[in-house]
Each structure stands twice: as C-alpha cells, then as structure tokens.
C-alpha cells in the first residue's frame, strides 16, 4: 500500500515510475567505483529493478553493501563490472579515473552507454576544491578519448550522491545536466533519468561541455557551504 508521502510525491511528480519500465527492466549496470557515489547508485539502480555489479580493487570491503542490496548486487574487479554492465557508470575518484579505466581495458566498454559521474577535483589546497583540468579540457573528454568505442554521457556529477536516485527537493527537481557526443546515448540517458525519479535530462551539448558541467562543482560546493546543506541542485529558469 502507498504511504501518504509516496502518494503525494507521485501526485507532484507524475514522471516517477513506481516499477521498472519494460524497456529497462532486467538490464545490468556495472558501476566502477565503491565510494559513496558507487554505493548510492548501486542501491538506487537495484531498487529500480536492475542487476548491479560494483567494480573495485578491493571487493572484500563491500560485504555490507552486498547485504544491503540482497540478490540484486555483486562485486568484482573494474574489468568484471564493465563486462557485466549493459550500461556502465563511472563513480571513480577523479585522479584515479584514468588508472581504473586502464585496469578495465577499453574493450569491455565498446558500444556501451557510459554514464560519467566523475569530477576532476583537486583538494590539495583544502576546501573548496579546484579543478585539476585546464579551461580547454575536462575529465569527461579525457574519458571519451580513452573509451573511443563507447558512448560517454556526463551525468550525475552536479548533484550529491544522496540525490542521484529519486531526488527530493523543496521545489520540483530540475532536469539533470548531461552532455555527450552520441544523440542515441543521450536519449537513453533521458529515459533512464525519468525512470530514476528525475524529470529528464537537460542536454548542454557534446562532450566538450563537460568542461562547464565539471566547473559547476566548485561553485556547487561554495553554494552548499552558504546553505549549510549539500542537498541542493542548480536549475534553469526563463
Ligand atoms: N560524493 C558525492 O556526493 C559526489 C557527487 C557527484 C560527483 N561525485 C564524483 O564521483 C566520483 C566518486 O566519488 P566518491 O565520493 O564516491 O568516491 P572517491 O573516493 O572520489 O572515489 C572512489 C573510487 O575511486 C577509485 N580509485 C581511487 N583512486 C584510484 C586509483 N589510483 N586507481 C583506480 N581507482 C581508484 C576507488 O577504487 P577502490 O574501490 O579500488 O578503492 C573507489 O572505487 C568522484 O569523481 C566525485 O568527484 C561525487
């Protein structure tokens, strides 16, 4: 039975699907990364009916996560999680991302939608972080260049892990900013986001736009420190 919170949320957000859609149900998601983002996305995809494998260098540390997702989740190496996924999600530390991709090898990514949640954050000077990429560069572009046969879509990088699946804001959730080179991959991402509780994707262009989606993050951190919460997201009004 629906509780009152679920019912009122569904009334406000009719795009929320309560059950996996027929197009997505049964799909497998390989998530590279075992930190807060990987674990939160893993739980969220599992709750939406996906089979999930988290990729890590240390599978032994994820026993609690596996218990939390029951039969829907497993753990493997970066290469195993990539091979497992119909969709692959990158939830990797920015500085370690290219090493993790090298460990997985480019082959298992070929032809797949790769959702890139990573940010090139440099905390060496403390908070707030800086970007370690230059103005004409981004981690999204570096990742697409390394995975030339995959369809990389920057996604999830501008919100906290706690809001990535079935977000709840005081206002209507915004569309998720995405970018990437492949139109079909971006259409698939839009449909996926709707299934995961967002009103869809706000497509800001090809993968070079990752420069600006990644650059939003130091601003997002500064805004969060003013708000004293990191549950916020940026939106577009006109
Ligand atoms: N935290 C958030 O709410 C949030 C929100 C939006 C975007 N992001 C971005 O999402 C990404 C993941 O963030 P996070 O907070 O979950 O965790 P994180 O600590 O930034 O990254 C954890 C993952 O990176 C891997 N890793 C670290 N160094 C590596 C190396 N040298 N070689 C290979 N793999 C390496 C770790 O592998 P092992 O499992 O083997 O240790 C682990 O799986 C980051 O790029 C972050 O900026 C974070």
């Amino acid at each position: 039975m629906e509780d009152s919170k679920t019912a009122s949320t569904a009334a406000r957000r009719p795009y929320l699907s309560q059950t996996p859609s027929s197009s997505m149900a049964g799909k497998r998601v390989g998530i590279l990364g075992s930190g807060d983002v990987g674990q939160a996305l893993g739980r969220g995809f599992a709750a939406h009916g996906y089979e999930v494998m988290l990729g890590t260098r240390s599978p032994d540390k994820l026993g609690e996560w596996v218990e939390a997702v029951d039969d829907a989740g497993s753990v493997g190496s970066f290469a195993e999680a990539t091979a497992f996924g119909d969709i692959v999600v990158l939830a990797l530390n920015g500085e370690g991302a290219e090493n993790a991709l090298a460990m997985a090898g480019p082959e298992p990514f070929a032809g797949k939608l790769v959702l890139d949640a990573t940010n090139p954050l440099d905390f060496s000077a403390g908070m707030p972080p800086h970007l370690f990429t230059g103005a004409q560069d981004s981690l999204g572009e570096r990742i697409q260049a390394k995975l030339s046969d995959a369809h990389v879509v920057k996604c999830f990088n501008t919100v906290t892990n706690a809001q990535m699946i079935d977000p709840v804001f005081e206002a209507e959730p915004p569309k998720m900013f995405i970018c990437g080179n492949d139109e079909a991959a971006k259409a698939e991402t839009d449909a996926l986001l709707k299934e995961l509780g967002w009103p869809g994707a706000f497509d800001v262009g090809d993968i070079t736009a990752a420069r600006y989606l990644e650059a939003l993050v130091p601003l997002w951190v500064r805004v969060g420190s003013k708000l004293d919460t990191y549950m916020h997201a940026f939106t577009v009004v006109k």
Side-chain angles (χ1 to χ4, degrees):
M1 186 193 283
E2 277 188 335
D3 62 27
S4 57
K5 183 175 173 225
T6 308
S8 71
T9 301
R12 278 191 299 117
R13 296 156 62 190
Y15 46 81
L16 263 184
S17 67
Q18 302 298 319
T19 53
S21 74
S22 56
S23 60
M24 298 292 181
K27 275 209 170 182
R28 294 172 153 206
V29 181
I31 299 177
L32 277 58
S34 64
D36 291 343
V37 175
Q39 293 194 32
L41 285 173
R43 284 191 300 273
F45 274 104
H48 280 266
Y50 290 78
E51 282 183 70
V52 180
M53 183 184 286
L54 287 198
T56 174
R57 295 166 296 180
S58 312
D60 292 348
K61 69 183 177 187
L62 288 162
E64 277 184 31
W65 178 85
V66 172
E67 271 184 38
V69 295
D70 285 332
D71 292 339
S74 58
V75 180
S77 66
F78 290 134
E80 287 166 339
T82 307
F84 176 87
D86 303 308
I87 297 169
V88 181
V89 183
L90 305 182
L92 295 158
N93 178 270
E95 286 173 334
E98 291 177 85
N99 184 49
L101 297 187
M103 291 173 76
E107 298 82 9
F109 290 94
K112 294 182 181 176
L113 170 62
V114 177
L115 299 173
D116 172 24
T118 61
N119 286 308
L121 299 182
D122 173 359
F123 291 96
S124 60
M127 288 285 276
H130 299 276
L131 301 177
F132 62 71
T133 45
Q136 308 298 324
D137 187 16
S138 66
L139 198 49
E141 287 166 274
R142 293 185 191 183
I143 288 168
Q144 179 64 85
K146 286 230 177 297
L147 307 178
S148 55
D149 293 332
H151 308 302
V152 177
V153 176
K154 197 92 203 170
C155 185
F156 296 123
N157 75 302
T158 56
V159 295
T160 177
N161 68 86
Q163 295 280 39
M164 287 179 179
I165 309 280
D166 296 321
V168 176
F169 298 97
E170 289 175 14
E172 192 70 4
K175 289 189 171 183
M176 171 81 72
F177 289 124
I178 68 163
C179 67
N181 292 342
D182 188 86
E183 296 302 324
K186 290 192 284 191
E188 186 178 354
T189 303
D190 179 65
L192 180 60
L193 286 167
K194 287 174 178 160
E195 194 190 335
L196 300 178
W198 292 88
F202 194 116
D203 175 8
V204 294
D206 66 25
I207 196 64
T208 62
R211 298 168 193 178
Y212 315 114
L213 296 190
E214 292 170 4
L216 277 180
V217 176
L219 176 64
W220 178 90
V221 171
R222 285 169 187 260
V223 170
S225 72
K226 293 282 182 191
L227 296 174
D228 207 22
T229 174
Y230 291 91
M231 297 297 277
H232 61 297
F234 292 134
T235 191
V236 175
V237 290
K238 59 180 180 179

